[in-house]
Amino acid sequence: MKRESINARNAPNPHGGYSQAVKLEGFERLLLVSGQIPVSDDDKVPEGFEAQARLVWRNIDAQLKAAGMAKSDIVKVTMYLSDRQHATANREIRNEYLGSLAPALTVVVCQIFDERWLLEVEAVAAQ
């Protein structure tokens, strides 16, 4: 698969580890990961944004592995935050998980289904 980050010169420059667009050619598999929530496999919700964010990324990782994929295959992420105050911690934890990977990215501040959840994250992966 050929993957190319697209960041048009006549549009805003991305800041914070993402691409304005990601162009894919020659992929064979596409995985759409539903919004992953901060709930553990034993149905517990941790306290605090950082613990919840790390759990959400672990849940995404679990879905990727179950499909025979890895985080390096992620091409698009949509993040839903319950409060704008989590923006900095969200970016730091996302960058910690993704490293140098720069997928297309959208962050939305909104109400989330369960008031205990401080975020929900969906992803698209391709190979």
Side-chain angles (χ1 to χ4, degrees), residues 61-124:
D61 218 30
Q63 301 307 326
L64 291 167
K65 287 178 183 174
M69 299 175 101
K71 69 180 174 184
S72 60
D73 297 318
I74 294 173
V75 296
K76 171 71 170 109
V77 173
T78 304
M79 308 190 80
Y80 302 92
L81 303 181
S82 66
D83 194 304
R84 186 171 275 106
Q85 75 178 0
H86 303 306
T88 300
N90 179 60
R91 182 175 41 253
E92 289 170 357
I93 293 165
R94 181 185 68 239
N95 290 342
E96 177 184 303
Y97 175 78
L98 294 174
S100 63
L101 186 64
L105 174 73
T106 301
V107 179
V108 179
V109 177
C110 61
Q111 291 184 338
I112 298 179
F113 183 78
D114 186 313
E115 64 186 25
R116 297 173 300 158
W117 306 343
L118 302 176
L119 76 162
E120 183 171 344
V121 180
E122 60 186 25
V124 176

Side-chain angles (χ1 to χ4, degrees), residues 40-79:
S40 64
D41 57 357
D42 61 352
D43 209 32
K44 297 205 182 336
V45 176
E47 292 293 323
F49 183 83
E50 290 184 14
Q52 288 194 16
R54 285 191 172 85
L55 178 55
V56 163
W57 286 110
R58 280 194 300 274
N59 290 344
I60 289 171
D61 218 30
Q63 301 307 326
L64 291 167
K65 287 178 183 174
M69 299 175 101
K71 69 180 174 184
S72 60
D73 297 318
I74 294 173
V75 296
K76 171 71 170 109
V77 173
T78 304
M79 308 190 80

